[in-house]
Every structure is written in structure tokens, then in C-alpha cells.
Amino acid sequence: GATRSGKSTVLRTLMTGLAVGHGPDDIQFYCLDFGGGALEPMRELPHTGVVAGPDDTELVRRTIAQLQAVIRRRAAATARPHADGYGEVFLVVDGWATLRRLGDGLEEDITAMAAHGLAHGVHIVLTAARWAELRPALKDQLGSRIELRLGEPAESEMDRKAARHLVYAPPGTAVTRDGRLSALATPHLDGEQHTALRSRC
């Protein structure tokens, strides 16, 4: 999705929903926050291991190296899968274009993780402003996709006609593959509001 289309909110909604349904021993989040600090509040979740920003380049590298090590250990393990205390692991990257600019092979490392990590309980979740930011080798590994308002509706890979209806839609409004519109709500855990996902024609 384009700027201010709700990308970071979608990540927070996803993380909150997963955290509500699973304990910290079952899932863990490792966040690379290049979206203006929107993932900083997720540091409070007991499920969150790391929130690293664009100025924390060494922490970004260490985080990716740590998850690569998890995949290697699990691939070589003969014991019960995921018995290492990590559970299902989610690498959450808010701002893919910024990560690519960091260089140092990080894009290639995460692309390899997307290709091999799922079989070992390591998931990649990322945001991008345009589909063109994602190289085919990575995009082909992303099974679930959410398309918010794009800067140019003609670039839609879901439904170009439906994408034109998002031009004036509020942040968090997305188009599905079948041309329907979906709205993702801001997550709240205060007992007054709850994470919601709804679809409409």
C-alpha cells in the first residue's frame, strides 16, 4: 500500500490478533521497524523479542542471523519440531524498500528465509509501497497478500477496477483477489474495542 494507506496498522492488527490467541511460548515476533516507529508499541507484548529501527543496523543484522540459525538448527534437529523454545517465529518487516537500501545482503538473506523458513516454523511478514519493490524470487514465496490503496491503481495485482475505489477510502481498506473490499481495524486490548476484520461487496 501507498503512504498512509494503513500498512503498519495491518501489521499491528495481525500481531495483536496472534498474540491474543497464542502464548509467548507458541509464537514470537522479531520486528524490523522502518515505518516511522509504528511497531514500537508492540515491544510491550511478551511475544516480541526485538524491535529494531533503521538506525539499529547491527541489531537488524543480528536479528536476521539469529533467525537463520533457528532455521538451520530446526532443519538439522531430530527431536520434536519447535522444541527449542521459540515456537512459531514471525519476522515482521515494516518498510521493505528501506531494508533493501541497507544492503549487506539482507534482502537476499530474507528471500532465502522466505523460501526455506516456513517448513521450519519461520514466517516472513512485510510491507511495501509497490508490488514492484518485491523481486519475483521473494514475491512468489508470499502466500497471503493484502493490497491496500496504491499510489497508482493501475499497478494493482488484485483487481484494478476495485483498486480505483480505494483512492478516497480510509486507511486500512484493502481489495481482495475477488474484487471485494476489506477493512482492517486498529487493534485495541483495553476491553472497549477489539481487532476486527470485515468484508463488504
Side-chain angles (χ1 to χ4, degrees):
T3 301
R4 303 187 66 81
S5 63
K7 298 188 296 298
S8 300
T9 297
V10 169
L11 294 181
R12 291 171 57 184
T13 298
L14 173 65
M15 293 172 65
T16 303
L18 287 169
V20 166
H22 304 277
D25 293 334
D26 299 320
I27 61 171
Q28 292 189 16
F29 303 118
Y30 292 82
C31 304
L32 307 183
D33 185 4
F34 306 135
L39 297 186
E40 186 63 27
M42 310 312 290
R43 191 187 297 272
E44 302 301 318
L45 289 175
H47 309 70
T48 302
V50 167
V51 177
D55 297 328
D56 304 319
T57 52
E58 183 56 34
L59 180 56
V60 169
R61 293 187 184 95
R62 290 203 314 267
T63 299
I64 293 174
Q66 180 180 354
L67 299 189
Q68 288 175 315
V70 168
I71 294 173
R72 287 194 298 269
R73 284 197 305 269
R74 289 181 173 182
T78 56
R80 180 173 61 87
H82 308 182
D84 52 11
Y86 282 88
E88 296 289 318
V89 178
F90 294 81
L91 175 63
V92 181
V93 183
D94 191 11
W96 181 248
T98 301
L99 181 136
R100 291 181 66 186
R101 288 195 292 271
L102 293 179
D104 202 25
L106 297 178
E107 178 182 7
E108 292 77 9
D109 289 342
I110 293 178
T111 299
M113 290 171 61
H116 305 294
L118 190 59
H120 304 292
V122 177
H123 310 261
I124 307 298
V125 184
L126 59 86
T127 66
R130 302 172 60 235
W131 289 110
E133 292 178 8
L134 304 173
R135 297 183 190 275
L138 174 61
K139 188 162 64 172
D140 289 347
Q141 302 300 324
L142 303 177
S144 299
R145 305 176 186 184
I146 297 173
E147 185 180 281
L148 301 166
R149 174 181 50 79
L150 297 174
E152 177 48 66
E155 296 180 358
S156 173
E157 293 195 5
M158 296 294 192
D159 187 303
R160 293 180 182 178
K161 182 178 179 180
R164 288 197 291 271
H165 294 298
L166 300 185
V167 173
Y168 301 107
T173 307
V175 61
T176 65
R177 289 186 183 279
D178 59 1
R180 293 177 178 268
L181 300 184
S182 295
L184 292 96
T186 303
H188 292 274
L189 293 177
D190 56 13
E192 298 177 1
Q193 294 177 292
H194 303 280
T195 302
L197 175 65
R198 68 180 187 274
S199 295
R200 63 179 185 271
C201 296

